[in-house]
Amino acid sequence: MTAAICALLDPARRLVRDVPVACQTATEIPMYDQSTQSELIRFARVDAGSTVIDVYPGDGNWTRLFSDIVGPEGRVYSFVPAEVAHFENDPVGLMRTLAKEPGRANVEAVSADLLAMPEVTQPADVLWLHLFYHDLHTELIQSKGATAADFNRAVYERLKPGGSYVIVDHAAAAGSGTSDTQSLHRIDPASVREEVEAAGFSLDAQSTTLANKDDPHSIKVFDPSIKGETDRFAYRFVKR
């Protein structure tokens, strides 16, 4: 079990949401310090025994953390959309290798078209979408016909009643809608909320843990002047 999670779990492996993490971790998220990382884990409401779908898992660090939390009775689907499976770093291969790591028997690497996600996963307690929602409005993702509205409906279908849809993304300027998704890799939080609620979800909570008032919202998220320090929002929606 990853050490950073140990302070979040009591001996019965129940998540303790009000206990800070104070120990070292073998699995760290490079862009977050331990305090922020732990707050995001609590915000996601992942418990021992949960089923989690980690959409476009990148290097797999969130998949590893969720794997540690859900334990042997839980399940983590590391879902790589087919729309990005051709990337040079072989994202599907990376996740299949991760699933073979010692102690990762609860991880399953899966890949399919984005809208086919419900076909390759089981009903979930949490769907985690980290810095990817804005991509739903880009040409790359929409090239096979996927739209944000369609994906949100697919998430609603796959989550259990009461399940959580957790979105963390780079904020665009208020009122900009989806106009900066392709050019800056940002999206207006208000647009995200409107789109997700249109699929039947209710906003359950939002976090300002990743807010940065000094972000001008006018530069690309990969620009060295703001990379890793962008103003980010976190929403937790619930399927009623």
Side-chain angles (χ1 to χ4, degrees), residues 29 35 58 66 76 78-80 92 123 126 136-137 148 151-152 177-178 206 219 224:
I29 309 300
S35 176
F66 294 141
V76 181
S78 195
F79 175 73
V80 179
V92 177
V126 178
L136 299 174
H137 288 275
F151 179 70
N152 289 333
T178 62
Q206 53 188 311
I219 54 180

Side-chain angles (χ1 to χ4, degrees), residues 79-149:
F79 175 73
V80 179
E83 290 85 347
V84 300
H86 64 282
F87 284 4
E88 289 186 6
N89 66 335
D90 186 17
V92 177
L94 286 174
M95 294 307 102
R96 287 175 177 167
T97 298
L98 184 158
K100 295 177 182 177
E101 292 175 357
R104 303 294 176 208
N106 60 1
V107 174
E108 183 174 348
V110 293
S111 182
D113 288 349
L114 194 65
L115 300 185
M117 179 269 297
E119 300 172 17
V120 295
T121 57
Q122 294 298 314
D125 300 287
V126 178
L127 188 135
W128 173 257
L129 200 63
H130 183 257
L131 306 182
F132 185 72
Y133 189 94
H134 68 273
D135 286 303
L136 299 174
H137 288 275
T138 62
E139 182 179 348
L140 172 67
I141 298 302
Q142 295 183 351
S143 62
K144 291 189 177 182
T147 67

Side-chain angles (χ1 to χ4, degrees), residues 6-239:
C6 63
L8 295 177
L9 300 170
D10 67 14
R13 290 192 60 85
R14 298 300 300 171
L15 191 61
V16 180
R17 305 188 189 282
D18 58 353
V19 177
V21 168
C23 48
Q24 296 302 309
T25 176
T27 302
E28 296 181 350
I29 309 300
M31 66 193 312
Y32 301 127
D33 59 31
Q34 286 198 357
S35 176
T36 302
Q37 178 176 307
S38 300
E39 176 57 34
L40 289 173
I41 292 168
R42 287 193 294 269
F43 184 79
R45 298 177 114 181
V46 177
D47 286 300
S50 293
T51 295
V52 181
I53 303 173
D54 183 7
V55 175
Y56 191 28
D59 56 16
N61 284 336
W62 286 109
T63 290
R64 290 185 177 95
L65 287 174
F66 294 141
S67 168
D68 292 329
I69 297 170
V70 304
E73 302 303 318
R75 193 75 174 162
V76 181
Y77 289 95
S78 195
F79 175 73
V80 179
E83 290 85 347
V84 300
H86 64 282
F87 284 4
E88 289 186 6
N89 66 335
D90 186 17
V92 177
L94 286 174
M95 294 307 102
R96 287 175 177 167
T97 298
L98 184 158
K100 295 177 182 177
E101 292 175 357
R104 303 294 176 208
N106 60 1
V107 174
E108 183 174 348
V110 293
S111 182
D113 288 349
L114 194 65
L115 300 185
M117 179 269 297
E119 300 172 17
V120 295
T121 57
Q122 294 298 314
D125 300 287
V126 178
L127 188 135
W128 173 257
L129 200 63
H130 183 257
L131 306 182
F132 185 72
Y133 189 94
H134 68 273
D135 286 303
L136 299 174
H137 288 275
T138 62
E139 182 179 348
L140 172 67
I141 298 302
Q142 295 183 351
S143 62
K144 291 189 177 182
T147 67
D150 290 335
F151 179 70
N152 289 333
R153 285 192 289 269
V155 175
Y156 193 89
E157 174 188 340
R158 183 38 70 216
L159 283 176
K160 300 175 184 178
S164 297
Y165 181 12
V166 182
I167 298 172
V168 178
D169 215 333
H170 306 283
S176 62
T178 62
S179 62
D180 293 328
T181 53
Q182 188 80 45
S183 59
L184 304 182
H185 291 267
R186 298 172 178 269
I187 190 166
D188 184 352
S191 292
V192 175
R193 179 174 179 177
E194 180 179 359
E195 291 177 354
V196 176
E197 290 182 334
F201 288 96
S202 298
L203 181 64
D204 187 50
Q206 53 188 311
S207 172
T208 59
T209 299
L210 306 177
N212 178 7
K213 61 181 178 58
D214 297 322
D215 182 350
H217 301 106
S218 59
I219 54 180
K220 202 168 187 175
V221 300
F222 307 116
D223 189 289
S225 66
I226 199 66
K227 185 177 180 180
E229 301 294 336
T230 54
D231 181 24
R232 277 158 274 164
F233 61 93
Y235 282 154
R236 185 176 70 236
F237 297 92
V238 171
K239 176 179 177 176

